[in-house]
Amino acid sequence: MDLIDETIAAVRPLDEAAMRDARDHQARLTKPPGSLGVLEEVSVRLAGLAGQCPPPLPEPAAVAVFAADHGVHAQGVTPWPQEVTAQMVANFLAGGAVVNAFAAQVGARVSVVDVGVATELDATGPDTAPRLLQRKIAPGTADMTAGPAMTADEARRAVGTGIEVARELAAQGARCLITGDMGIANTTASAALIAAFTGLPPEDVTGRGTGIDDATHAHKVEVVRAALARHGLAAGHGRPPMEVLAAVGGLEHAAIAGFVLGAAALRVPVVLDGVIAGAAALVAAALCPDALGGCVAGHRSAEPGHAAAVRALGLRPLVDLELRLGEGTGALLALPLVQGAVRVLHEVATFDSAGVSDKSGGSGEDGSGRP
């Protein structure tokens, strides 16, 4: 087996016994049943991922910002020059981006993974080398409206890179992984992937990305439509997921899909960011549905394709702040919620241990006051 097949084979479904224990424990805590809403289900799922209750605290966390350029940029889908990808990578490495500020706030480490930046990056600075993982598969993808964005080999190598990065960060002590991304024109590729995997029309899943005007947005929709038609990806196409990924995906999408698979095999939770992560998670889920067990949707992006992606994935975003930045920012804002959900299982007293009467008038687990 190659790395991808080996990783998929190592993924296991959530442990039902551990989830049952977590639900039972939640019911005995000193709070009304269900009063923590969605956070209770997060804690249950992470118990199932770990195979124990309580699960390990999802800290420390590590962010992997996968960076790549896109050949579809040549179609005029954004007014931003392609050089901005490399410039923003430099900003990440210098600690000057929003992802750096949010990561510092929650004590998360940021690594940047070059899987396909068109520009050669300088990794000679004293602070840059530890943060930059140079894993370039190609200097960006090809234009998906003219042919496949990636060769089959490039797509598989990029997925494998994501798996390797997940393994490396976990080996370094990360107990929660966070997806980040950077790539000018990557919302166009995301829209194509989401349309291909959900069967929704391009106009329903194509957003404004960095804030394009109406004319550019209409053109962007038609570019996505043309790419889908070029590769025979209309609703019900039945193409294998790796072929879809190679046809219209980005190198960072492929790497994030691998990142999700790698984390699932290691039973480490992943907090997904926005539309790029959502598109990549659709790829991972198509390859291995059980890989979603440890995924938490950190936030709901303002990009329409993200709502479609999380709906198809069956995930409920924890934060809805109309964000559309990417980088991992929305996932980082949600990280304390994920950590808090698990901390409840570790630290909140039960009615019995605290001597607090439950709704039936007793402090024991059977309502009688007896331990």
Side-chain angles (χ1 to χ4, degrees):
M1 290 191 293
D2 70 4
L3 179 59
I4 299 174
D5 294 335
E6 170 193 307
T7 302
I8 290 172
V11 176
R12 295 288 181 267
L14 297 180
D15 187 295
E16 293 292 340
M19 294 173 71
R20 185 168 55 252
D21 289 346
R23 290 192 181 97
D24 290 346
H25 191 68
Q26 283 281 1
R28 298 195 303 270
L29 298 179
T30 49
K31 61 177 182 60
S35 58
L36 290 180
V38 175
L39 296 186
E40 295 192 14
E41 185 55 30
V42 170
S43 73
V44 168
R45 288 177 56 226
L46 294 192
L49 179 70
Q52 65 185 62
C53 177
L57 290 169
E59 52 189 66
V63 188
V65 181
F66 293 93
D69 280 305
H70 295 262
V72 75
H73 181 274
Q75 295 299 318
V77 292
T78 173
W80 292 82
Q82 194 169 67
E83 291 78 10
V84 170
T85 300
Q87 291 165 358
M88 281 302 301
V89 167
N91 194 25
F92 300 147
L93 297 173
V98 179
V99 67
N100 302 105
F102 286 0
Q105 178 172 262
V106 296
R109 175 188 172 192
V110 177
S111 298
V112 182
V113 188
D114 174 11
V115 285
V117 179
T119 305
E120 289 301 321
L121 302 176
D122 180 7
T124 59
D127 297 326
T128 298
R131 295 185 184 180
L132 177 62
L133 304 180
Q134 294 181 303
R135 308 293 169 84
K136 197 188 302 288
I137 305 298
T141 55
D143 183 352
M144 63 182 178
T145 64
M150 294 174 273
T151 66
D153 179 65
E154 287 170 343
R156 292 192 71 84
R157 287 168 56 205
V159 172
T161 294
I163 293 170
E164 291 168 349
V165 171
R167 290 180 175 183
E168 289 171 20
L169 295 181
Q172 292 165 11
R175 294 297 172 262
C176 184
L177 300 179
I178 295 174
T179 69
D181 61 85
M182 181 63 217
I184 296 301
N186 62 8
T187 59
T188 303
S190 296
L193 283 172
I194 293 167
F197 280 107
T198 65
L200 292 170
E203 59 268 25
D204 288 358
V205 298
T206 306
R208 294 179 181 268
T210 49
I212 55 179
D213 59 23
D214 289 347
T216 306
H217 179 248
H219 173 63
K220 182 177 176 181
V221 170
E222 292 309 311
V223 168
V224 172
R225 195 187 316 279
L228 295 171
R230 171 71 174 75
H231 299 289
L233 296 177
H237 56 80
R239 298 276 297 281
M242 287 299 295
E243 289 187 12
V244 177
L245 174 63
V248 297
L251 289 157
E252 76 271 51
H253 293 101
I256 293 171
F259 193 63
V260 169
L261 293 172
L266 296 169
R267 306 195 83 82
V268 174
V270 175
V271 185
L272 300 172
D273 196 46
V275 67
I276 285 79
L282 287 171
V283 177
L287 291 168
C288 179
D290 285 331
L292 288 181
C295 289
V296 178
H299 80 116
R300 186 186 305 279
S301 170
E303 285 285 301
H306 189 236
V310 294
R311 186 167 58 247
L313 293 166
L315 300 176
R316 180 169 177 176
L318 299 183
V319 175
D320 188 351
L321 298 173
E322 300 180 7
L323 305 177
R324 53 181 178 84
L325 177 58
E327 303 179 6
T329 50
L332 281 164
L333 289 175
L335 177 63
L337 299 177
V338 179
Q339 293 171 333
V342 175
R343 194 169 291 276
V344 164
L345 293 178
H346 282 263
E347 299 181 8
V348 176
T350 62
F351 284 105
D352 181 47
S353 67
V356 176
S357 297
D358 65 16
K359 64 182 179 181
S360 60
S363 61
E365 291 175 13
D366 60 0
S368 67
R370 296 189 300 274

